[in-house]
Amino acid sequence: MVAPASAFDNNEKVKIVRRVLAGLAFTGIRRVRFLPDSYQIVGRAADGLHSDVEIEPLQLAVHFTVEDTVRAAGLLAESGAACIVTLGGDGTNRAVAKACGDVPLIAIATGTNNVFPQMVDGTLAGIAAGLIACGHVPSTLARRTKRLEIWLDGELADIALVDVAISQHPFIGTRAIWDLSTLHELVLARTEPGCIGLSSIGAHLCPLAREDERGLHIHLGDQGQPVSAILAPGMIRTVRVQRWRALRCGDAVEIALRPCTVAVDGERELHLERGGSLEVRLTGRGPRLVDVREVLWHAARAGLLRSPIGAQGEDDR
């Protein structure tokens, strides 16, 4: 509502999922399980799709909240899913990452700020997911990512895949952060140039490749050096950075500001009035993320895409 961002409506998501299913069928996948939604996106996508893929909803009570996504990811992991495909932005993938365990994740970008997911056609994502699930490409192509862990009084309270922002904002409110003047400090797991959101501040200070094991801790203040922030599509602002430092996996940042509001991957989730310990740790315990283009490069070099891969037998996933 405050930036000219593109929107993927439900009809477009139906088309994306239909393309994913076509890609899966091409690789010989025979069974797909999915999280039902109020618009019946997967059901509509499968309608009229001529393939041997068995598509069934997960058996869980759905309340159409983010907790549905967390529980669905956990159920898929427990049932032995070979790959999970998501449609969403950083927030959706963060919810999946809370419970997907070691299951490889293919993240198709349909959010506002898509730092974690990849902008890729659904057909290609489906082919890559099928190749990973059937074991036709090395499992090493699903690489473990970093994450930020929020520890409150010694207990793990939440995680982030991209950024943790500490704000002086007095309440959670509408969650999204648009007023940069309230920001006190940032802890970033990703600082890749070309990304949109709070992580762009870090990218303009110290650009790091996706596979780099480091992160950044940034202090902001009125007297600091000016740095541009591409806060959202079409929204470019300037912030003042007082100081920053690189973090390595295992490093922890103590947050002393009180009261404060903690935002994870762009949305305010936690408000602290006083007392207690608050720590943000950079770790290597993020989900195993698949780079679709890298999988397709490997498959093409191995000659896997010259014709449909076909049926894989009774042990198909």
Side-chain angles (χ1 to χ4, degrees):
M1 294 180 68
V2 298
S6 299
F8 291 84
D9 62 19
N10 286 331
N11 287 326
E12 181 59 29
K13 291 176 183 176
V14 168
K15 296 176 184 178
I16 294 172
V17 172
R18 179 176 286 249
R19 296 195 290 268
V20 170
L21 294 174
L24 291 170
F26 170 82
T27 63
I29 291 294
R30 294 291 175 261
R31 187 177 183 218
V32 172
R33 304 177 72 191
F34 68 93
L35 170 64
D37 69 279
S38 59
Y39 193 73
Q40 302 178 20
I41 288 173
V42 178
R44 291 170 187 258
D47 187 30
L49 187 67
H50 302 293
S51 74
D52 296 326
V53 181
E54 176 188 345
I55 302 170
E56 60 177 293
L58 290 169
Q59 298 302 309
L60 78 168
V62 178
H63 305 288
F64 307 117
T65 69
V66 69
E67 290 305 316
D68 293 342
T69 303
V70 178
R71 290 186 295 116
L75 185 57
L76 288 169
E78 292 169 7
S79 63
C83 188
I84 295 176
V85 179
T86 65
L87 273 68
D90 298 327
T92 298
N93 287 285
R94 171 175 156 262
V96 172
K98 289 184 177 183
C100 69
D102 290 331
V103 182
L105 180 63
I106 288 184
I108 302 174
T110 61
T112 303
N113 295 346
N114 300 291
V115 179
F116 185 85
Q118 187 176 18
M119 195 70 71
V120 64
D121 180 78
T123 316
L124 303 179
I127 292 173
L131 292 170
I132 286 285
C134 292
H136 291 302
V137 296
S139 60
T140 53
L141 294 180
R143 293 189 173 89
R144 183 72 67 184
T145 59
K146 297 170 287 185
R147 76 178 190 182
L148 296 167
E149 300 176 356
I150 301 167
W151 291 79
L152 183 60
D153 295 330
E155 299 288 336
L156 181 62
D158 213 334
I159 66 166
L161 299 179
V162 180
D163 56 68
V164 173
I166 308 302
S167 169
Q168 302 172 62
H169 204 279
F171 51 85
I172 291 176
T174 57
R175 296 187 180 274
I177 292 180
W178 303 115
D179 185 2
L180 294 180
S181 67
T182 67
L183 286 185
H184 183 263
E185 55 193 302
L186 295 172
V187 186
L188 305 176
R190 293 172 177 268
T191 64
E192 301 154 44
C195 288
I196 290 177
L198 295 175
S199 70
S200 68
I201 300 171
H204 301 153
L205 288 168
C206 180
L208 300 175
R210 175 167 291 217
E211 61 273 14
D212 199 303
E213 295 184 355
R214 293 174 295 169
L216 252 61
H217 178 209
I218 301 172
H219 279 271
L220 300 122
D222 293 339
Q223 305 305 314
Q225 69 174 101
V227 177
S228 62
I230 308 172
L231 188 59
M235 181 180 288
I236 306 172
R237 300 289 185 266
T238 300
V239 296
R240 296 272 177 176
V241 173
Q242 288 186 332
R243 61 186 185 276
W244 62 273
R245 66 183 176 103
L247 302 173
R248 295 196 175 275
C249 280
D251 287 350
V253 175
E254 294 281 351
I255 306 299
L257 179 69
R258 296 292 187 280
C260 73
T261 299
V262 182
V264 291
D265 292 339
E267 295 192 346
R268 296 189 292 269
E269 295 284 352
L270 178 66
H271 181 72
L272 298 180
E273 280 293 332
R274 60 182 67 84
S277 65
L278 177 60
E279 183 179 273
V280 181
R281 299 178 192 170
L282 177 68
T283 77
R285 292 191 284 262
R288 296 175 62 209
L289 183 64
V290 177
D291 186 316
V292 170
R293 293 182 178 88
E294 187 176 8
V295 169
L296 295 176
W297 266 101
H298 182 95
R301 285 194 294 262
L304 296 175
L305 304 178
R306 293 173 185 170
S307 62
I309 296 172
Q312 303 297 322
E314 294 182 356
D315 294 329
D316 292 344
R317 293 186 176 184

